[in-house]
Amino acid sequence: VDKAIADFNEAIRLNPKHVKAYNNRGVAWNKKGDYDKAIAGWNEVLKIQPDNKKPKKRIEAAEKAKLEAQEKAKSAALRKQTDEIREKAEAAAEAGNLEGAIAEWKKILDLEKGNKEATRSIAGLEKQISERKKKEAEEAEKKAAALPPKLTVPMIVFFLPVLFLVILGPAAIRFWKMS
């Protein structure tokens, strides 16, 4: 294709009104995926032959192909970006950072509003967080319930004698002073 483009360029240089060279160079650029250069070539044909319908149809087709190529490129870039974020989310979840994983999945939802995988993953992670918090609360309650028996002995040994001294001390001192 590059050789053909070079040949058409040479033909145009030799004859700037060579319609077929402009047209065929446009076809070559189009095949190469350089739609802007193809369209520019066909516009040159229209400058020479304004009533020529072929270049008009080719320009329309090239503009449509250009848009499709741009959409395809956007889609591929979006897919790559979501794949990278998905990997971060999965790594965070695997490391036990469920809140971080949810934050990553929400980034995917910001990019793709209806992403079912992200929605399901967030719901599952929120359920895991809820279960973890419930388990932590149960463990805290068990520790709290075990606290009174653990405090009984230190209270008897350390706290009650001091309390007796504070309460009964003044009474004992008065009793000894009276005697």
Side-chain angles (χ1 to χ4, degrees):
V1 174
D2 290 332
K3 171 82 169 99
I5 291 171
D7 290 344
F8 295 132
N9 284 338
E10 181 62 20
I12 292 166
R13 188 185 68 75
L14 295 172
N15 179 5
K17 301 278 185 195
H18 196 302
V19 172
K20 276 191 172 183
Y22 281 113
N23 188 50
N24 290 336
R25 185 177 66 177
V27 171
W29 281 119
N30 194 52
K31 281 185 181 180
K32 213 173 168 186
D34 195 332
Y35 304 109
D36 290 331
K37 287 184 180 178
I39 291 168
W42 292 321
N43 278 325
E44 289 298 322
V45 171
L46 290 174
K47 286 179 187 175
I48 299 166
Q49 294 179 346
D51 295 332
N52 192 333
K53 292 180 182 176
K54 265 188 182 178
K56 290 178 183 177
K57 288 180 182 178
R58 286 185 173 155
I59 289 171
E60 288 175 13
E63 287 173 344
K64 182 179 176 185
K66 179 181 174 181
L67 288 175
E68 289 172 358
Q70 288 171 341
E71 287 300 316
K72 199 181 239 186
K74 279 184 189 176
S75 178
L78 179 63
R79 191 170 27 260
K80 181 182 178 193
Q81 190 176 9
T82 56
D83 287 346
E84 289 170 357
I85 295 170
R86 181 182 299 107
E87 288 175 16
K88 288 179 186 178
E90 290 170 351
E94 200 171 303
N97 180 3
L98 304 182
E99 291 82 2
I102 288 174
E104 293 299 326
W105 284 113
K106 285 183 177 180
K107 288 179 186 176
I108 290 177
L109 283 180
D110 288 343
L111 295 171
E112 293 181 66
K113 300 293 181 214
N115 188 300
K116 291 179 183 178
E117 180 185 13
T119 304
R120 281 192 308 266
S121 296
I122 289 170
L125 290 167
E126 286 174 342
K127 184 177 178 184
Q128 287 179 22
I129 289 171
S130 174
E131 290 170 357
R132 180 170 45 178
K133 285 181 179 179
K134 184 178 177 184
K135 187 177 178 181
E136 288 171 355
E138 288 172 359
E139 289 174 8
E141 285 179 21
K142 284 180 186 177
K143 286 181 182 178
L147 204 53
K150 289 181 180 178
L151 287 177
T152 303
V153 172
M155 196 165 81
I156 291 171
V157 173
F158 300 108
F159 184 65
L160 288 179
V162 173
L163 186 63
F164 281 129
L165 279 174
V166 170
I167 293 173
L168 298 177
I173 292 171
R174 276 193 206 150
F175 180 74
W176 277 318
K177 279 186 181 180
M178 284 203 276
S179 354

